[in-house]
Amino acid sequence: MRSFFPAESSKEEYSSSLNPQSWLQVERGKLPKLSSIESLIKVQQPPVLPFFKPVDYVEVLAQIHEELESCSSQEQSNLFLFQYQVFKGLGDVKLMQRSLREAWRRAGKRQNEYGPIDVQSHISDINVSSQEKVLMNGNNTSPYVVFTIGDEKIVCDRQKFSELSAPFHTMLNGVFCESVSEAIDLSENNISSSGMRAISYFSMTDSLLEQLSPKLLLEILVFANKYCCDRLKDACDRRLALLVTSKEDAIELMEYALDENSTVLAASCLQILLRDLPHCLSDSRVVDLFLHPNKQQLTVMVGPGLYALFCFLSEVSMNVNSSSDTTVHFMERLADFAENDKERLLAFHRLGCVRLLRKEYDEARCLFERAVKAGHIYSVAGLARLNSIQGEGHISYEKISSVISPVTRLGWMYQERSLYCDGDLRWKDLEKATELDPTLVYPYMYRAASLMWTENSQGALAEINRILGFKLSLECLELRFFIYLALEDYKAALRDVQAVLTLCPHYRMFEGRVAASQLRTLVLEHVEHLTTADCWAQLYDCWSAVDDIESLSVIYQMLESDAAKGVLYFRQSLLLLRLNCPEAAMRSLQLAWQHASSEHERLVYEGWILYDTGHYEEGLQKAEESICIKRSFEAFFLKAYALADSGLGSICSSTVISLLEDALRCPSDNLRKGQALNNLGSVFVDHEKLDQAADCYIKALKIHHTRAHQGLARVHFLKNDKAAAYKEMTELIEKAKSNASAYEKRSEYGDRDLTKADLAMVTRLDPLRVYPYRYRAAVLMDNHKEQEAIAELSRAIAFKADLHLLHLRAAFHEHKGDVLSALRDCRAALSVDPNHQEMLELHTRVNSHEP
C-alpha cells in the first residue's frame, strides 16, 4: 500500500523507466551515480485508500452519537466500531483506540447472554410430589438406574440423573419403558464407561472430577449436547476452555466447539488465535477455521460480532498482504455479514481496493459502484482509476469533477483530479489539495520531485521539509533520502534512512525491491564512523536543538554498539511519542522492557507500558515496586508523572514536587535531568511559586534543556514582564529546529500584529496545531464577521477532528441561532470526548432549543 518512486501513472511505466545498470549496482553493493539517482526521483500515484472517507465526517459522527443514545448494547458496539472507521479515515490513532475500547466495553456487556442455562427452570415438573412419582413409576421402581455400556454397569441415582436434562427426565420418570426399567443399555451412544461414571458423579455433585483427560471431556461434551444436558455441557465447555494454551490446541478443539455449539470453548480457541495474529494467518488450517464454517457456526465462535470479526481479520490480512487470496476471502465474508448501508459501503469499498490491486478490474468496478450507491463518494476515486487504466483519462477527470461543488470540496478530490491532467492544471489542483487538506502526502512529494527534475534541489528539499515538519511520513523520508543521495550529502541521507528504519525496521525501498537496511549499509561507507562517546555528544546536541529526527538517527546508530540498549530504546520511545508515532513508540518501549539491564529498570518500563495503555494505577504500582528495589531517577520520574497526571490537583502536588526532587538526587544524564527540572518548574508555576519555578528553568537551561525557555517565559509573563517573556521565546525559536510550538507560545506575549504574524507562521509550519485557527476565528467573531469566523474553524475541521474547534464552532452557531448546526457540532465533539464538561453543558443547552 505504500508509494515509492516509480513513474507517475503505473508500475508498468516504472519498469521501463528504471535504469537496469543502476539497479544492478545497488544489488551488487554500490551506490548508483548522481544521474542514476535523479532518474529514480519519481512519485507513484497515491493509492485508493481502503478507508471510510465520508464527505462530511462531522455529520456522520453526530449521527452516530445520536443513535448511541437510544440503542441496545449490541448496536452500540457496532456503532463504536463504525466510529472507529471514521477516525481511521482521518488518521487519528488516539481516537481510533478510544472507539475500539468503547466497542469492546459494549460487547462485554453481552457476556451474560452466553452463560450456563438453568435447566431446572425449563422443566416444569422436575420437583414432583411423592404421589406423582407413584403414579408415573409405580411403587416398586428402584431409586437407582443401571446404565450398561458393553460389559460394564454404572449405577446412578435415578432422580439426580433425571435432573440433568428434560430428555432424561422424560426417559426416567415419564411414560417410556425406560421409566420402569432398572437397567438401560447406552452402548450405542458413543459414551465410554469412564465417561458415564464421570457423568454420574456430576449428577450427584454438580461438578466434574478433577482429573478428566481432554479426550474424555470431549466425549462427555458430545454426549451432553446430544441429550440436552446443559449444565453438564457448560461445565465441560468451561473446563476444556481452560486447556486451550496454544495454536495447535485451538485448531484441534475449535472444530468440536463449533459442532457442539460450545460457546466458551470456541471463544477460548478464538482468543488464542487472535493473539497469534498475524503469524497464524500463514497457517491454512487457521484460515480455513474462519472461512469454512457457516453463519450459525461462526455465531458460536463470536456471538453476534461476525462483522466485527471479519472487519478485524481483513485489516490484519491487508497489512500482511493486501492482494492475497486470504485477504479477498476475508473481505468477501465481511460483505456477506454486513447488515446495513454503513457496513456494506465499507465492505464494498475495501474489497474494491483489493480487487484493484489484483488487477481484477471488472470486479473492482462493480464493487466501487455498489459502494457509491450505498453513499460512499470516495469510491468514485476507484472508478476514476479504472477509467484511467482503460486509457479514458478524460472520463476520470470528469468523474472527479462531478463530485466537486462549492459545498463539497475536499483535499482528496483535487488530489485525485490532478492525476488526470498535466502542467499548470495539475500544479493548481495539487496546491488546492494542500490548501484544503495539508496532511495529504502526495502533493508535497510530486512538487518536490518536479523541482528536482528542474534541478532546483533546494526548492525540492524545502517542499518535502514542509510536511516532514509536522508529519513523519515514511514515503517523504524515503524521497528526501534520495534527494540527499543525488546531492551526495551522505550524512543527511544516513540520518533519513536510519529514521525510516526506526519507524519501520523492515521497510523496503525501490517499490519494495531493496531493504532500507541494505541501502543504509552502502551509505554508511561514505560517512565518518562515530564512537559511542561521539554519538552521546551528538545526541545531546540534537536533543538540545529539538531536532527529533536527527536524535532518532543517532539513537539508531548507538543501538548497534554495546551501549545499554534498554535506556536507548526508552529514549527512542520518548522521541517517537513527541513525533506523534504512538505505535512505533510502544514497540520501542516493549524493546526497552526486553533489554532492561536490571529488574528495577524493567519495572519502570513495564510501568510506562501500563500507563500508556490506560492502566494508570498499575503503572504507578510498578514505579513503587521499582523504588523498593532501588531508588532511581526513572522510577521517581514515572511515579511523579503518573501522579501529576492523575487530576488530583493540590492533593498530590507536594508529593510530585518531593518525587521530582528525589529523582534529581539520583544519578542520570543531563538530558533527563533537564526534563525533570522543567517538569518541576511547571508544578511550581501551577502553584504560583514563581521564584522557585524560575530557579528550576534556569538550572535546566544551564544544562541545555532548550524547552525550559518556554517555562521561563511563562514566569516572566506572570510577573507582568511581557517583553522579557517575548524575548525568552525568541531565544527558543532561534535554537529549536522544530519551533512551531515556540511561535505559538510567543504569540501570547506580543501585540496583536505580532501575534497575528506568529500564528500565521505556526499554521505554515504545522497546520495541525489548532490554536491559531481558534484565535483567528475569535478575532473575526469579535469584529462581527460571523461567517468568516465559522469558515476559519471549518477550514481546520475539514482535516482534523478536534474537540476545541468543534466546541467553538458549535458556540458560534448557537450565537447565530442556527440550532441544528450547533447541535450537530456538539454531538460530533462529544464523539471526540464524551466526558468534556463544558461540551456536555453546551449540548444540553442547545438540545433544549431543538425544534
Side-chain angles (χ1 to χ4, degrees), residues 571-614:
R571 302 294 172 86
Q572 191 180 76
S573 73
L574 297 176
L575 286 167
L576 288 166
L577 276 178
R578 205 152 69 195
L579 289 163
N580 195 29
C581 302
E583 293 178 5
M586 181 54 69
R587 183 178 67 243
S588 295
L589 198 49
Q590 289 168 343
L591 287 168
W593 178 80
Q594 291 172 19
H595 290 86
S597 60
S598 62
E599 180 61 22
H600 72 84
E601 183 183 339
R602 184 175 288 105
L603 285 166
V604 169
Y605 302 147
E606 192 173 339
W608 279 114
I609 290 171
L610 289 165
Y611 180 84
D612 288 345
T613 52

Side-chain angles (χ1 to χ4, degrees), residues 106-154:
R106 289 346 188 255
K109 289 181 179 179
R110 301 196 305 274
Q111 61 189 0
N112 291 334
E113 298 174 21
Y114 303 99
I117 297 173
D118 182 4
V119 179
Q120 293 193 13
S121 66
H122 295 270
I123 305 175
S124 58
D125 56 354
I126 198 75
N127 294 315
V128 293
S129 65
S130 299
Q131 184 179 1
E132 287 172 317
K133 288 180 182 178
V134 170
L135 290 173
M136 288 189 292
N137 301 328
N139 289 325
N140 298 321
T141 302
S142 169
Y144 300 101
V145 61
V146 177
F147 292 108
T148 60
I149 297 172
D151 296 332
E152 298 197 48
K153 298 180 179 181
I154 298 92

Side-chain angles (χ1 to χ4, degrees), residues 147-247:
F147 292 108
T148 60
I149 297 172
D151 296 332
E152 298 197 48
K153 298 180 179 181
I154 298 92
V155 180
C156 302
D157 183 288
R158 181 183 293 271
Q159 185 60 33
K160 292 290 186 182
F161 208 93
S162 72
E163 292 174 5
L164 287 176
S165 72
F168 276 124
H169 177 76
T170 303
M171 176 192 291
L172 299 175
N173 295 325
V175 295
F176 295 101
C177 60
E178 288 88 352
S179 64
V180 294
S181 300
E182 294 186 5
I184 300 173
D185 189 356
L186 291 182
S187 300
E188 304 299 321
N189 284 270
N190 297 317
I191 187 72
S192 65
S193 57
S194 298
M196 184 53 72
R197 289 191 186 93
I199 296 170
S200 176
Y201 179 84
F202 182 87
S203 71
M204 298 295 292
T205 64
D206 210 33
S207 63
L208 290 169
L209 289 163
E210 288 299 323
Q211 302 300 323
L212 292 178
S213 68
K215 182 180 178 181
L216 198 57
L217 283 168
L218 286 170
E219 184 182 301
I220 297 169
L221 176 69
V222 173
F223 180 87
N225 195 41
K226 179 179 179 180
Y227 285 100
C228 305
C229 304
D230 294 314
R231 286 184 294 115
L232 176 60
K233 176 187 170 184
D234 181 72
C236 291
D237 194 2
R238 295 176 186 278
R239 177 72 67 83
L240 283 165
L242 296 174
L243 302 178
V244 185
T245 58
S246 68
K247 183 184 76 172

Side-chain angles (χ1 to χ4, degrees), residues 779-844:
V779 171
L780 288 165
M781 203 67 178
D782 286 344
N783 293 329
H784 307 291
K785 297 179 180 180
E786 296 173 345
Q787 287 303 118
E788 292 92 331
I790 290 172
E792 178 66 23
L793 294 173
S794 300
R795 174 185 163 199
I797 288 170
F799 56 85
K800 185 174 177 64
D802 179 79
L803 170 75
H804 303 292
L805 293 172
L806 289 164
H807 186 186
L808 191 56
R809 193 171 73 170
F812 287 178
H813 282 308
E814 183 196 29
H815 178 75
K816 283 182 61 186
D818 187 348
V819 174
L820 292 179
S821 295
L823 190 58
R824 175 203 61 201
D825 283 354
C826 285
R827 286 170 173 161
L830 289 171
S831 295
V832 174
D833 183 355
N835 301 313
H836 191 271
Q837 191 57 41
E838 290 183 16
M839 198 68 251
L840 287 166
E841 291 171 3
L842 178 59
H843 176 254
T844 301

